[in-house]
Amino acid sequence: MTEEQIRLAVTGAKSLDQLELVRVELVGRKGSLTEQLRRVGDLPAAERSSAGAEANRLRLAAEAALKLRFAELRAAATKSELSTPLDLTAPGVTLALGHRHPVSLVLDELIEVFWQMGYQVADGPEVETEWHNFEALNIPETHPARDMQDTFYLEGGNLPRTHTSGVQIRFMQAHKDDLPIRIVSPGKVYRNEDEDARHSWSFYQIEGLVVDEGISLADLKGTLEAMMVGVLGEGTKVRLRPNYFPYTEPSVEMDASCVICSGTGVVDGASCKLCSGTGWLELGGAGMVHPQVLRNVGIDPVRYSGFAFGFGPERIAAIKYNVGDVREFWRPNFNFLDQF
Ligand code: PHE
């Protein structure tokens, strides 16, 4: 290849892309000038020095020509870009803005209500020991209450927690010498549950726990009412029914009036889907902390008493936003989610 041939190849490139192809052909790893330089070593010793000098000269010439052409082509490209008129009225690229999930909105509101009442937020692990999830809460291995909270067991005996009540145990153990306790603990729980409009195998709970001297069921009731009015608005009615939990005594079930049917149980002449026609929504369980549970964590049940409660924020979100099927919350359905 002569210097003239190199020059013609380089100036023949009419765009930066074409020039890159020429560059690879000439001085790339397998380019012709690179090969030529490599072959010098195979020549008889007498020819090597002049052939080497020639190969180097051509290579340097090629590099200089490539550099020059690159500058020319780039200048031309910039010029043509600048001379294209800029349309300031063209529609811009719209960025899709994310937003809070409806269940997160409800959790934030709940936390805000409790924060105003002097509660702090406590956290606990989603994979829990059987002791924290059951035994310490007065639910021995053979207790029928375990059936209601059947779940998936992991190797080694741990389990995805079936409720947030284990956080009570962890927090009381860590703060038994630092009473009173006032906490809420939001988080995910898992159960072996058939899905329907009101149930799902994974859902959120928010647990509450208060331990102090002289805490009574009246304190619990007032707290639950304040919470429901804070989240669902003035006029929300609260109903407590007797229930049973091994870790509270007495135990209650808390219902709030259904806002879809306004507590009547009927929508457009048909039974209300959300509350199954009862007019009430079961939101969770509560009760006075069982003395044995206090003893299990080393708190004196003669001097101290407390209450605890556990709720499903999805249920509360369903009431608040008029959603008839809690499964919607966990479907990747943007038509639904974009409404919040
Ligand atoms: N852990 C109970 C449940 O998941 C709710 C509960 C919490 C009941 C605290 C009493 C006290 O159903």
Side-chain angles (χ1 to χ4, degrees), residues 51 84 90 92 118 203 243 291:
T84 309
F203 51 98
N243 196 4

Side-chain angles (χ1 to χ4, degrees), residues 14-287:
K14 298 290 179 239
S15 70
L16 289 168
D17 287 346
Q18 284 177 16
L19 186 67
E20 175 61 11
L21 293 178
V22 174
R23 189 193 66 79
V24 171
E25 264 166 39
L26 293 175
V27 297
R29 221 158 42 83
K30 290 184 178 149
S32 54
L33 297 178
T34 313
E35 290 290 320
Q36 188 177 343
L37 204 56
R38 201 172 288 142
R39 279 196 304 272
V40 169
D42 305 333
L43 295 172
E47 286 169 36
R48 253 181 244 163
S49 120
S50 65
E54 173 65 5
N56 264 323
R57 194 181 63 78
L58 289 177
R59 194 186 157 87
L60 289 176
E63 273 166 5
L66 283 164
K67 200 168 161 193
L68 191 69
R69 188 67 183 145
F70 182 80
E72 282 171 10
L73 289 173
R74 202 178 46 180
T78 310
K79 203 173 155 200
S80 92
E81 229 172 75
L82 287 179
S83 61
T84 309
L86 180 61
D87 181 2
L88 290 174
T89 64
V93 182
T94 324
L95 292 181
L97 269 193
H99 57 84
R100 311 279 288 154
H101 188 279
V103 174
S104 301
L105 291 173
V106 164
L107 273 176
D108 286 353
E109 270 181 27
L110 285 169
I111 289 168
E112 174 82 22
V113 170
F114 284 109
W115 180 76
Q116 286 171 356
M117 295 194 280
Y119 285 59
Q120 74 187 94
V121 176
D123 215 355
E126 281 186 30
V127 172
E128 194 49 289
T129 68
E130 271 196 85
W131 189 80
H132 287 95
N133 196 80
F134 291 128
E135 258 108 69
L137 289 163
N138 224 7
I139 317 176
E141 205 183 330
T142 52
H143 199 287
R146 285 208 187 186
D147 250 16
M148 298 189 305
Q149 298 197 358
D150 187 21
T151 183
F152 321 97
Y153 282 82
L154 306 173
E155 283 171 20
N158 292 339
L159 63 156
R161 64 182 176 189
T162 60
H163 52 182
T164 42
S165 298
V167 182
Q168 291 183 32
I169 300 299
R170 290 181 178 275
F171 200 90
M172 284 193 287
Q173 280 184 313
H175 296 86
K176 63 177 192 300
D177 299 320
D178 186 21
L179 300 172
I181 289 171
R182 250 183 245 110
I183 56 160
V184 281
S185 183
K188 269 186 177 171
V189 303
Y190 303 86
R191 293 196 194 167
N192 181 6
E193 190 90 63
D194 286 336
E195 293 204 347
D196 61 31
R198 297 168 59 191
H199 299 93
S200 155
W201 60 271
S202 168
F203 51 98
Y204 273 85
Q205 279 193 339
I206 182 164
E207 187 87 8
L209 172 71
V210 169
V211 180
D212 201 353
E213 290 182 41
I215 298 292
S216 75
L217 193 67
D219 298 313
L220 171 62
K221 194 169 179 214
T223 304
L224 296 177
E225 271 173 8
M227 166 182 135
M228 286 333 300
V229 167
V231 172
L232 296 179
E234 289 297 332
T236 306
K237 279 182 252 138
V238 163
R239 173 175 88 166
L240 299 184
R241 288 174 292 126
N243 196 4
Y244 171 75
F245 298 104
Y247 37 99
T248 47
E249 182 57 38
S251 302
V252 295
E253 191 75 20
M254 197 209 72
D255 303 339
S257 44
C258 180
V259 297
I260 290 193
C261 62
S262 311
T264 61
V266 182
V267 179
D268 296 336
S271 172
C272 175
K273 259 199 208 152
L274 185 65
C275 63
S276 305
T278 63
W280 294 97
L281 289 156
E282 284 175 30
L283 288 181

